[in-house]
Amino acid sequence: MDVLHARPISEEDLELLALLVTYPSDEPIARHLQVSVRTVRRRIARIMELLGVQNRFAAGVAAAQLGWVSHRPYR
């Protein structure tokens, strides 16, 4: 999928993308969201599939190109 034509994502997924900028691993993200690490990983994989990318870094780049995230950490 062309990143510039990716479908919009949910508010929850936008929050997850912002948390990827803030936290160094999935465990603190899961604690913050009060979900399991497996759920965080599944949601990240779905976002990567939606964006047509192969890794988390590429997902971040694509999300930034689409204006879905900023460079400022989520708090």
Side-chain angles (χ1 to χ4, degrees):
M1 174 181 285
D2 182 346
V3 168
L4 297 178
H5 296 97
R7 296 185 311 268
I9 61 173
S10 70
E11 287 296 320
E12 292 85 11
D13 287 341
L14 288 173
E15 179 183 16
L16 178 57
L17 283 167
L19 291 170
L20 287 172
V21 173
T22 303
Y23 292 109
S25 65
D26 295 339
E27 290 78 10
I29 294 172
R31 281 193 300 274
H32 181 89
L33 295 174
Q34 298 180 341
V35 298
S36 71
V37 173
R38 183 175 180 194
T39 296
V40 169
R41 290 180 180 152
R42 180 179 44 80
R43 287 176 58 193
I44 292 168
R46 187 185 53 191
I47 291 168
M48 289 180 357
E49 182 178 343
L50 175 69
L51 291 170
V53 298
Q54 299 298 313
N55 59 60
R56 293 161 70 126
F57 180 79
V61 170
Q65 288 176 337
L66 291 166
W68 291 356
V69 295
S70 73
H71 65 281
R72 287 186 280 174
Y74 182 88
R75 297 281 178 203

